[in-house]
Each structure stands twice: as C-alpha cells, then as structure tokens.
Coordinates of all heavy atoms in Angstrom, one line a residue:
M257 N -51.2 0.3 3.8 CA -50.2 1.3 3.9 C -48.9 0.6 4.2 O -48.8 -0.2 5.1 CB -50.6 2.3 5.0 CG -49.6 3.3 5.3 SD -50.3 4.4 6.6 CE -48.9 5.4 6.9
S258 N -47.8 0.9 3.5 CA -46.5 0.3 3.7 C -45.7 1.3 4.5 O -45.7 2.5 4.3 CB -45.8 0.0 2.4 OG -45.6 1.2 1.6
H259 N -44.9 0.7 5.4 CA -44.1 1.5 6.3 C -42.7 1.7 5.7 O -42.2 0.8 5.0 CB -44.0 0.8 7.7 CG -45.3 0.6 8.4 ND1 -45.9 1.7 9.0 CD2 -46.1 -0.4 8.5 CE1 -47.0 1.3 9.6 NE2 -47.2 0.0 9.3
I260 N -42.2 2.8 5.9 CA -40.8 3.1 5.5 C -39.8 2.8 6.6 O -40.0 3.3 7.7 CB -40.7 4.6 5.0 CG1 -41.7 4.9 3.9 CG2 -39.2 4.9 4.6 CD1 -41.7 6.3 3.5
V261 N -38.9 1.9 6.3 CA -37.9 1.6 7.3 C -36.5 1.8 6.7 O -36.3 1.7 5.5 CB -38.1 0.1 7.8 CG1 -39.4 0.0 8.5 CG2 -38.0 -0.8 6.7
T262 N -35.5 1.9 7.6 CA -34.2 2.1 7.1 C -33.5 0.7 7.0 O -33.9 -0.2 7.6 CB -33.3 2.9 8.1 OG1 -33.3 2.3 9.3 CG2 -33.9 4.3 8.2
V263 N -32.6 0.6 6.1 CA -31.9 -0.6 5.9 C -30.8 -0.7 7.0 O -30.0 0.3 7.2 CB -31.2 -0.7 4.5 CG1 -30.4 -2.0 4.4 CG2 -32.3 -0.6 3.5
Q264 N -30.8 -1.7 7.8 CA -29.9 -1.8 9.0 C -28.4 -1.7 8.5 O -27.6 -1.1 9.2 CB -30.1 -3.1 9.8 CG -29.4 -3.2 11.1 CD -29.8 -2.1 12.1 OE1 -31.0 -1.6 12.0 NE2 -28.9 -1.8 13.0
D265 N -28.1 -2.3 7.4 CA -26.7 -2.3 7.0 C -26.2 -0.9 6.7 O -25.1 -0.5 6.9 CB -26.4 -3.2 5.8 CG -26.5 -4.7 6.1 OD1 -26.3 -5.0 7.3 OD2 -26.8 -5.5 5.2
A266 N -27.1 -0.1 6.1 CA -26.7 1.3 5.7 C -26.6 2.1 7.0 O -25.7 3.0 7.1 CB -27.8 1.9 4.8
V267 N -27.4 1.9 8.0 CA -27.3 2.7 9.2 C -26.0 2.3 10.0 O -25.4 3.2 10.6 CB -28.6 2.4 10.1 CG1 -28.4 3.1 11.4 CG2 -29.8 2.9 9.3
T268 N -25.7 1.0 10.0 CA -24.5 0.6 10.8 C -23.4 0.2 9.9 O -22.7 -0.7 10.1 CB -24.9 -0.6 11.7 OG1 -25.4 -1.7 10.8 CG2 -26.0 -0.3 12.7
A269 N -23.1 1.0 8.9 CA -22.1 0.7 7.9 C -20.7 0.7 8.5 O -19.8 0.1 8.1 CB -22.1 1.8 6.8
F270 N -20.5 1.5 9.6 CA -19.2 1.5 10.2 C -19.3 1.0 11.6 O -18.7 1.5 12.6 CB -18.7 3.0 10.3 CG -18.5 3.5 8.9 CD1 -19.5 4.4 8.3 CD2 -17.5 3.1 8.1 CE1 -19.3 4.9 7.1 CE2 -17.3 3.6 6.8 CZ -18.2 4.5 6.3
A271 N -19.9 -0.1 11.8 CA -20.1 -0.8 13.1 C -18.7 -1.4 13.5 O -17.8 -1.6 12.6 CB -21.2 -1.8 13.1
D272 N -18.6 -1.8 14.7 CA -17.4 -2.3 15.3 C -17.0 -3.6 14.6 O -15.8 -3.9 14.4 CB -17.5 -2.6 16.8 CG -17.5 -1.3 17.5 OD1 -17.1 -0.2 17.0 OD2 -18.0 -1.3 18.7
F273 N -17.9 -4.4 14.2 CA -17.6 -5.7 13.6 C -17.1 -5.6 12.2 O -16.6 -6.6 11.6 CB -18.9 -6.6 13.6 CG -20.0 -6.1 12.8 CD1 -20.0 -6.4 11.4 CD2 -21.0 -5.4 13.3 CE1 -21.1 -5.9 10.6 CE2 -22.0 -4.9 12.5 CZ -22.1 -5.2 11.2
M274 N -17.0 -4.4 11.6 CA -16.5 -4.2 10.3 C -15.1 -3.7 10.3 O -14.5 -3.3 9.3 CB -17.4 -3.3 9.5 CG -18.8 -3.9 9.3 SD -19.9 -2.9 8.3 CE -19.2 -3.3 6.7
E275 N -14.5 -3.6 11.5 CA -13.1 -3.2 11.6 C -12.2 -4.3 11.0 O -12.5 -5.4 11.0 CB -12.7 -2.9 13.0 CG -13.5 -1.7 13.6 CD -13.0 -0.4 13.0 OE1 -11.8 -0.2 12.7 OE2 -13.9 0.5 12.8
P276 N -10.9 -3.9 10.6 CA -10.0 -4.9 10.1 C -9.6 -5.8 11.3 O -9.5 -5.4 12.4 CB -8.8 -4.1 9.7 CG -9.1 -2.7 9.8 CD -10.4 -2.5 10.5
T277 N -9.4 -7.1 10.9 CA -9.0 -8.1 11.9 C -7.5 -7.9 12.2 O -6.8 -7.2 11.6 CB -9.2 -9.5 11.4 OG1 -8.4 -9.7 10.3 CG2 -10.7 -9.7 11.0
D278 N -7.1 -8.5 13.3 CA -5.7 -8.5 13.7 C -4.8 -9.0 12.6 O -3.7 -8.5 12.3 CB -5.4 -9.2 15.0 CG -6.0 -8.5 16.2 OD1 -6.2 -7.3 16.1 OD2 -6.3 -9.2 17.2
A279 N -5.3 -10.1 11.9 CA -4.5 -10.7 10.8 C -4.3 -9.7 9.6 O -3.3 -9.6 9.0 CB -5.1 -12.0 10.3
E280 N -5.4 -9.0 9.3 CA -5.3 -8.0 8.3 C -4.4 -6.8 8.6 O -3.6 -6.4 7.8 CB -6.7 -7.4 7.9 CG -7.6 -8.5 7.3 CD -9.1 -8.0 7.2 OE1 -9.5 -7.2 8.0 OE2 -9.8 -8.5 6.3
L281 N -4.4 -6.4 9.9 CA -3.5 -5.3 10.3 C -2.1 -5.8 10.3 O -1.2 -5.0 9.9 CB -3.9 -4.9 11.7 CG -5.3 -4.1 11.8 CD1 -5.6 -3.8 13.2 CD2 -5.2 -2.8 11.0
D282 N -1.8 -7.1 10.7 CA -0.5 -7.6 10.6 C 0.0 -7.7 9.2 O 1.2 -7.4 8.9 CB -0.4 -9.0 11.2 CG -0.6 -8.9 12.7 OD1 -0.4 -7.9 13.3 OD2 -0.9 -10.0 13.3
A283 N -0.9 -8.0 8.2 CA -0.5 -8.1 6.8 C -0.1 -6.7 6.3 O 0.9 -6.6 5.6 CB -1.6 -8.7 6.0
I284 N -0.9 -5.7 6.7 CA -0.6 -4.4 6.3 C 0.7 -3.9 6.8 O 1.5 -3.3 6.2 CB -1.7 -3.4 6.7 CG1 -3.0 -3.7 5.9 CG2 -1.3 -1.9 6.5 CD1 -4.2 -3.0 6.4
E285 N 1.0 -4.2 8.1 CA 2.2 -3.9 8.7 C 3.4 -4.5 8.0 O 4.5 -3.9 7.9 CB 2.2 -4.3 10.2 CG 3.4 -3.8 11.0 CD 3.4 -2.3 11.2 OE1 2.4 -1.7 11.2 OE2 4.6 -1.8 11.3
Q286 N 3.3 -5.8 7.6 CA 4.4 -6.5 6.9 C 4.6 -5.8 5.5 O 5.8 -5.8 5.1 CB 4.0 -7.9 6.7 CG 3.9 -8.7 8.0 CD 5.0 -9.8 8.0 OE1 5.4 -10.3 7.0 NE2 5.4 -10.2 9.2
E287 N 3.6 -5.3 4.9 CA 3.7 -4.7 3.6 C 4.0 -3.2 3.6 O 4.3 -2.6 2.5 CB 2.4 -4.9 2.8 CG 2.1 -6.4 2.4 CD 0.8 -6.6 1.7 OE1 0.1 -5.5 1.4 OE2 0.4 -7.7 1.6
M288 N 4.1 -2.6 4.8 CA 4.3 -1.2 4.9 C 5.6 -0.7 4.2 O 5.6 0.3 3.5 CB 4.3 -0.8 6.3 CG 4.2 0.7 6.5 SD 2.9 1.6 5.6 CE 1.5 1.0 6.4
P289 N 6.7 -1.4 4.3 CA 7.9 -0.9 3.6 C 7.8 -0.9 2.1 O 8.2 0.1 1.4 CB 9.0 -2.0 4.0 CG 8.6 -2.6 5.3 CD 7.1 -2.6 5.2
V290 N 7.0 -1.8 1.5 CA 6.7 -1.8 0.1 C 5.8 -0.6 -0.2 O 6.0 0.1 -1.2 CB 6.1 -3.1 -0.4 CG1 5.7 -3.1 -1.8 CG2 7.1 -4.3 -0.1
I291 N 4.8 -0.4 0.6 CA 3.9 0.7 0.3 C 4.6 2.0 0.4 O 4.5 2.9 -0.5 CB 2.8 0.7 1.4 CG1 1.9 -0.6 1.2 CG2 1.9 1.9 1.3 CD1 0.9 -0.9 2.3
L292 N 5.5 2.2 1.4 CA 6.3 3.5 1.5 C 7.2 3.6 0.3 O 7.4 4.8 -0.2 CB 7.0 3.5 2.8 CG 6.1 3.6 4.0 CD1 6.9 3.5 5.3 CD2 5.2 4.8 4.0
A293 N 7.8 2.6 -0.2 CA 8.7 2.6 -1.3 C 7.9 3.0 -2.6 O 8.4 3.8 -3.4 CB 9.5 1.3 -1.5
D294 N 6.7 2.5 -2.7 CA 5.9 2.8 -3.9 C 5.5 4.3 -3.8 O 5.5 5.0 -4.9 CB 4.6 2.0 -3.9 CG 4.9 0.6 -4.4 OD1 5.8 0.4 -5.2 OD2 4.1 -0.4 -4.1
V295 N 5.2 4.8 -2.6 CA 4.9 6.2 -2.5 C 6.1 7.1 -2.9 O 5.9 8.1 -3.6 CB 4.4 6.5 -1.0 CG1 4.3 8.0 -0.8 CG2 3.1 5.8 -0.8
D296 N 7.3 6.7 -2.4 CA 8.5 7.5 -2.8 C 8.7 7.5 -4.3 O 9.0 8.5 -4.9 CB 9.7 6.9 -2.1 CG 9.7 7.2 -0.6 OD1 9.0 8.1 -0.2 OD2 10.5 6.6 0.1
L297 N 8.4 6.3 -5.0 CA 8.6 6.3 -6.4 C 7.5 7.2 -7.1 O 7.9 7.9 -8.0 CB 8.4 4.8 -6.9 CG 8.4 4.6 -8.4 CD1 9.7 5.2 -9.1 CD2 8.2 3.2 -8.8
L298 N 6.3 7.1 -6.6 CA 5.3 8.0 -7.2 C 5.6 9.5 -7.0 O 5.4 10.3 -7.9 CB 3.9 7.7 -6.6 CG 3.2 6.4 -7.1 CD1 2.0 6.1 -6.2 CD2 2.9 6.5 -8.5
D299 N 6.1 9.8 -5.8 CA 6.5 11.2 -5.6 C 7.6 11.6 -6.6 O 7.5 12.7 -7.2 CB 7.0 11.4 -4.2 CG 5.9 11.4 -3.1 OD1 4.8 11.6 -3.5 OD2 6.3 11.2 -1.9
A300 N 8.6 10.8 -6.8 CA 9.6 11.1 -7.8 C 9.1 11.2 -9.2 O 9.6 12.1 -9.9 CB 10.7 10.0 -7.7
Q301 N 8.1 10.4 -9.5 CA 7.6 10.5 -10.9 C 6.7 11.7 -11.0 O 6.6 12.4 -12.1 CB 6.8 9.2 -11.2 CG 7.7 8.0 -11.4 CD 7.0 6.7 -11.5 OE1 5.8 6.6 -11.0 NE2 7.6 5.7 -12.1
I302 N 5.9 12.0 -10.0 CA 5.0 13.2 -10.1 C 5.8 14.5 -10.2 O 5.3 15.4 -10.9 CB 4.1 13.2 -8.8 CG1 3.1 12.1 -8.9 CG2 3.4 14.6 -8.6 CD1 2.3 11.9 -7.6
I303 N 6.9 14.6 -9.6 CA 7.8 15.8 -9.7 C 8.1 16.1 -11.2 O 8.2 17.2 -11.6 CB 9.0 15.6 -8.9 CG1 8.7 15.7 -7.4 CG2 10.1 16.7 -9.2 CD1 9.8 15.4 -6.5
T304 N 8.3 15.1 -12.0 CA 8.7 15.2 -13.4 C 7.6 15.3 -14.4 O 7.8 15.4 -15.6 CB 9.6 14.1 -13.8 OG1 8.9 12.9 -13.7 CG2 10.8 14.0 -12.9
L305 N 6.3 15.4 -13.9 CA 5.2 15.4 -14.8 C 5.1 16.7 -15.6 O 4.7 16.7 -16.8 CB 3.9 15.2 -14.1 CG 3.6 13.8 -13.6 CD1 2.3 13.7 -12.9 CD2 3.5 12.8 -14.8
D306 N 5.4 17.8 -15.0 CA 5.2 19.1 -15.7 C 6.5 19.7 -16.2 O 6.5 20.9 -16.6 CB 4.4 20.0 -14.8 CG 5.2 20.3 -13.5 OD1 6.1 19.6 -13.2 OD2 4.8 21.3 -12.8
R307 N 7.6 19.0 -16.2 CA 8.8 19.5 -16.7 C 9.7 18.4 -17.2 O 9.4 17.2 -17.0 CB 9.6 20.3 -15.6 CG 10.0 19.4 -14.4 CD 10.6 20.2 -13.3 NE 10.7 19.5 -12.1 CZ 11.8 19.3 -11.5 NH1 12.9 19.8 -11.9 NH2 11.8 18.5 -10.4
V308 N 10.7 18.8 -17.9 CA 11.7 17.8 -18.4 C 12.5 17.3 -17.2 O 13.1 18.2 -16.5 CB 12.6 18.5 -19.5 CG1 13.7 17.5 -20.0 CG2 11.7 18.9 -20.7
P309 N 12.7 16.0 -17.0 CA 13.4 15.5 -15.9 C 14.9 15.9 -16.0 O 15.5 15.8 -17.1 CB 13.3 14.0 -16.0 CG 12.1 13.8 -16.9 CD 12.0 14.9 -17.8
T310 N 15.5 16.4 -14.9 CA 16.9 16.7 -14.9 C 17.6 15.4 -14.5 O 17.0 14.3 -14.2 CB 17.2 17.7 -13.8 OG1 16.8 17.2 -12.5 CG2 16.4 19.0 -14.0
E311 N 19.0 15.4 -14.5 CA 19.8 14.3 -14.1 C 19.5 13.9 -12.7 O 19.4 12.7 -12.4 CB 21.2 14.6 -14.3 CG 22.1 13.4 -14.0 CD 21.9 12.2 -14.8 OE1 21.5 12.3 -16.0 OE2 22.1 11.1 -14.3
L312 N 19.3 14.9 -11.8 CA 18.9 14.6 -10.4 C 17.6 13.9 -10.3 O 17.4 12.9 -9.6 CB 18.9 15.9 -9.6 CG 18.6 15.7 -8.1 CD1 19.6 14.9 -7.4 CD2 18.4 17.1 -7.5
D313 N 16.6 14.3 -11.1 CA 15.3 13.6 -11.2 C 15.4 12.2 -11.6 O 14.8 11.3 -11.1 CB 14.3 14.4 -12.1 CG 14.0 15.8 -11.5 OD1 14.0 16.0 -10.3 OD2 13.7 16.6 -12.4
A314 N 16.2 12.0 -12.7 CA 16.4 10.6 -13.2 C 17.1 9.7 -12.1 O 16.7 8.6 -12.0 CB 17.3 10.7 -14.5
R315 N 18.1 10.3 -11.4 CA 18.7 9.5 -10.4 C 17.7 9.2 -9.2 O 17.7 8.1 -8.7 CB 19.9 10.2 -9.8 CG 21.1 10.1 -10.7 CD 22.3 10.6 -9.9 NE 22.4 12.0 -10.4 CZ 23.2 12.9 -9.8 NH1 23.8 12.6 -8.7 NH2 23.2 14.1 -10.2
R316 N 16.9 10.2 -8.9 CA 15.9 10.0 -7.8 C 14.9 8.8 -8.2 O 14.6 8.0 -7.4 CB 15.1 11.3 -7.6 CG 14.2 11.2 -6.4 CD 13.5 12.5 -6.2 NE 14.5 13.5 -5.7 CZ 14.6 14.7 -6.2 NH1 13.8 15.1 -7.2 NH2 15.5 15.5 -5.7
I317 N 14.5 8.8 -9.5 CA 13.5 7.8 -10.0 C 14.2 6.4 -10.0 O 13.6 5.5 -9.5 CB 13.0 8.2 -11.3 CG1 12.0 9.4 -11.2 CG2 12.2 7.0 -12.0 CD1 11.6 10.0 -12.5
R318 N 15.4 6.4 -10.5 CA 16.2 5.1 -10.5 C 16.4 4.6 -9.1 O 16.2 3.4 -8.8 CB 17.5 5.3 -11.2 CG 17.5 5.3 -12.7 CD 18.8 5.1 -13.3 NE 19.8 6.0 -12.8 CZ 20.1 7.2 -13.3 NH1 19.5 7.6 -14.4 NH2 21.1 7.9 -12.8
R319 N 16.7 5.4 -8.1 CA 16.9 5.0 -6.8 C 15.6 4.5 -6.2 O 15.6 3.5 -5.5 CB 17.5 6.2 -5.9 CG 17.9 5.8 -4.6 CD 18.5 7.0 -3.8 NE 19.3 7.9 -4.6 CZ 18.9 9.2 -4.8 NH1 17.8 9.7 -4.2 NH2 19.6 10.0 -5.5
A320 N 14.5 5.2 -6.5 CA 13.2 4.8 -5.9 C 12.8 3.5 -6.5 O 12.2 2.6 -5.8 CB 12.2 5.9 -6.2
R321 N 13.0 3.3 -7.8 CA 12.7 2.0 -8.5 C 13.5 0.8 -7.8 O 13.0 -0.2 -7.6 CB 13.0 2.0 -10.0 CG 11.9 2.7 -10.7 CD 12.2 2.6 -12.2 NE 11.2 3.4 -13.0 CZ 11.4 4.0 -14.1 NH1 12.6 4.0 -14.6 NH2 10.4 4.7 -14.7
R322 N 14.8 1.1 -7.6 CA 15.6 0.0 -7.0 C 15.1 -0.3 -5.6 O 15.1 -1.4 -5.1 CB 17.1 0.5 -6.9 CG 17.8 0.4 -8.3 CD 19.3 0.5 -8.1 NE 19.7 1.7 -7.4 CZ 20.0 2.8 -8.1 NH1 20.0 2.9 -9.4 NH2 20.4 3.9 -7.4
R323 N 14.7 0.7 -4.8 CA 14.2 0.5 -3.5 C 12.9 -0.3 -3.5 O 12.7 -1.2 -2.7 CB 14.0 1.8 -2.8 CG 13.4 1.7 -1.4 CD 13.4 3.0 -0.6 NE 12.7 2.7 0.6 CZ 11.7 3.5 1.1 NH1 11.4 4.6 0.5 NH2 11.1 3.3 2.2
V324 N 12.0 0.0 -4.5 CA 10.7 -0.7 -4.6 C 11.1 -2.2 -4.9 O 10.5 -3.1 -4.3 CB 9.8 -0.1 -5.7 CG1 8.7 -1.1 -6.1 CG2 9.3 1.2 -5.3
L325 N 12.0 -2.4 -5.8 CA 12.3 -3.8 -6.2 C 12.9 -4.5 -5.0 O 12.6 -5.7 -4.7 CB 13.3 -3.9 -7.4 CG 12.6 -3.4 -8.7 CD1 13.7 -3.4 -9.8 CD2 11.5 -4.4 -9.1
A326 N 13.8 -3.9 -4.2 CA 14.4 -4.5 -3.1 C 13.4 -4.8 -2.0 O 13.4 -5.9 -1.4 CB 15.5 -3.6 -2.5
E327 N 12.5 -3.9 -1.8 CA 11.4 -4.1 -0.7 C 10.5 -5.2 -1.1 O 10.1 -6.1 -0.3 CB 10.7 -2.8 -0.4 CG 11.5 -1.8 0.2 CD 12.0 -2.2 1.6 OE1 11.4 -3.1 2.2 OE2 12.9 -1.5 2.1
R328 N 10.2 -5.3 -2.4 CA 9.3 -6.4 -2.9 C 10.0 -7.7 -2.8 O 9.4 -8.7 -2.4 CB 8.8 -6.1 -4.3 CG 7.8 -5.0 -4.4 CD 7.4 -4.8 -5.9 NE 6.4 -3.7 -5.9 CZ 6.0 -3.2 -7.1 NH1 6.4 -3.7 -8.2 NH2 5.1 -2.2 -7.0
A329 N 11.3 -7.8 -3.1 CA 12.0 -9.0 -3.0 C 12.1 -9.4 -1.5 O 12.0 -10.6 -1.2 CB 13.4 -8.8 -3.6
A330 N 12.4 -8.5 -0.6 CA 12.4 -8.8 0.8 C 11.1 -9.3 1.3 O 11.1 -10.3 2.1 CB 12.9 -7.5 1.6
L331 N 10.0 -8.7 0.8 CA 8.7 -9.2 1.3 C 8.4 -10.6 0.7 O 7.9 -11.4 1.5 CB 7.6 -8.2 0.8 CG 6.2 -8.6 1.1 CD1 5.9 -8.6 2.6 CD2 5.2 -7.7 0.4
A332 N 8.8 -10.8 -0.5 CA 8.6 -12.2 -1.1 C 9.4 -13.2 -0.3 O 9.0 -14.3 0.0 CB 9.0 -12.2 -2.5
N333 N 10.7 -12.8 0.1 CA 11.5 -13.8 0.8 C 11.0 -14.0 2.2 O 11.0 -15.1 2.7 CB 12.9 -13.2 0.9 CG 13.6 -13.3 -0.4 OD1 13.3 -14.1 -1.3 ND2 14.6 -12.4 -0.6
R334 N 10.4 -13.0 2.9 CA 9.8 -13.2 4.2 C 8.6 -14.1 4.1 O 8.3 -14.9 4.9 CB 9.4 -11.8 4.8 CG 10.6 -11.1 5.4 CD 10.1 -9.9 6.2 NE 9.2 -9.0 5.5 CZ 9.5 -7.9 4.9 NH1 10.8 -7.5 4.8 NH2 8.6 -7.1 4.3
A335 N 7.8 -13.9 3.0 CA 6.6 -14.7 2.8 C 6.9 -16.1 2.5 O 6.2 -17.0 2.9 CB 5.7 -14.1 1.7
A336 N 8.0 -16.3 1.8 CA 8.4 -17.7 1.4 C 8.9 -18.4 2.6 O 8.8 -19.6 2.7 CB 9.5 -17.7 0.3
G337 N 9.5 -17.7 3.6 CA 10.0 -18.3 4.8 C 9.0 -18.7 5.8 O 9.2 -19.5 6.7
V338 N 7.7 -18.2 5.6 CA 6.7 -18.5 6.6 C 6.1 -19.8 6.2 O 5.7 -20.1 5.1 CB 5.6 -17.4 6.6 CG1 4.4 -17.8 7.4 CG2 6.2 -16.1 7.0
S339 N 6.0 -20.8 7.2 CA 5.4 -22.1 6.9 C 3.9 -22.0 7.0 O 3.3 -21.3 7.9 CB 5.9 -23.1 7.8 OG 5.6 -22.8 9.1
L340 N 3.2 -22.6 6.1 CA 1.7 -22.6 6.1 C 1.2 -23.8 7.0 O 1.8 -24.8 7.1 CB 1.2 -22.8 4.7 CG 1.5 -21.6 3.8 CD1 1.0 -22.0 2.4 CD2 0.9 -20.3 4.2
P341 N 0.1 -23.6 7.7 CA -0.5 -24.7 8.5 C -0.9 -25.8 7.5 O -1.3 -25.6 6.4 CB -1.7 -24.0 9.2 CG -2.0 -22.8 8.4 CD -0.7 -22.4 7.7
G342 N -0.9 -27.0 8.0 CA -1.3 -28.2 7.3 C -0.1 -29.0 6.8 O -0.3 -30.1 6.2
G343 N 1.1 -28.5 7.0 CA 2.3 -29.3 6.6 C 2.6 -29.4 5.2 O 3.4 -30.2 4.7
A344 N 2.0 -28.5 4.3 CA 2.3 -28.5 2.9 C 3.7 -27.9 2.7 O 4.1 -27.0 3.3 CB 1.3 -27.6 2.2
A345 N 4.4 -28.6 1.8 CA 5.8 -28.1 1.6 C 5.9 -27.4 0.3 O 5.1 -27.5 -0.6 CB 6.7 -29.3 1.5

C-alpha cells in the first residue's frame, strides 16, 4: 500500500524564506520612478483605445513618453555611476 503525502514545496509555497531580499527591494525602489512613468504612459494610451485621440490626448501621450524616456535615462545614469565590487572599470 502506498501512502499519499503532500509535497512540502506546495504546502509552504509562501514561506518566509521566499520573500524578496533587501537587495531586490532596493532595486525595485530604484526603478519605481520608471515604473510609475510607464503606468502613466499606459493610462494615456488606454484612454484613446475606444475613441479618436484629441489634441489633448496626443499631448498627454507625448508628455508621458518624454517622462518615460527621462526616467529611463536617469536610471541608466544612476546605474552607471554605481561602482561594481572587484575593481572592474
């Protein structure tokens, strides 16, 4: 007779050791301005899905695109300024 047992990983799928690390949370925090800018761009694009975009909609989308590009450039500049361990240049 074979016994039926549960798979331990399935039972403890949300255990404490599976939480994001501090480094992962810091990375998310650094990328948050880019994430929010992307959300604003998506909101502006979603508004125009079911209608013809007005001039105001077009300006809102252009402004959101510029903000996304600016935030991505700022993130890239911050990442480039961080020195990596090991002395690599």
Side-chain angles (χ1 to χ4, degrees):
M257 177 174 173
S258 61
H259 297 283
I260 299 173
V261 295
T262 60
V263 178
Q264 187 65 25
D265 289 338
V267 174
T268 59
F270 298 104
D272 291 340
F273 63 86
M274 295 185 79
E275 293 293 321
T277 64
D278 289 338
E280 291 170 334
L281 291 173
D282 289 341
I284 292 170
E285 186 68 30
Q286 292 243 335
E287 293 176 7
M288 190 54 68
V290 176
I291 294 169
L292 294 175
D294 282 333
V295 169
D296 288 343
L297 176 59
L298 284 172
D299 285 343
Q301 291 171 335
I302 288 170
I303 289 172
T304 63
L305 285 178
D306 61 346
R307 62 185 168 124
V308 176
T310 63
E311 181 60 31
L312 180 63
D313 294 329
R315 279 189 268 164
R316 184 178 295 130
I317 291 171
R318 282 194 307 268
R319 190 177 326 117
R321 282 186 182 145
R322 284 193 304 267
R323 181 173 170 225
V324 166
L325 291 174
E327 292 295 343
R328 287 182 183 172
L331 178 63
N333 289 336
R334 284 193 304 266
V338 175
S339 63
L340 296 175

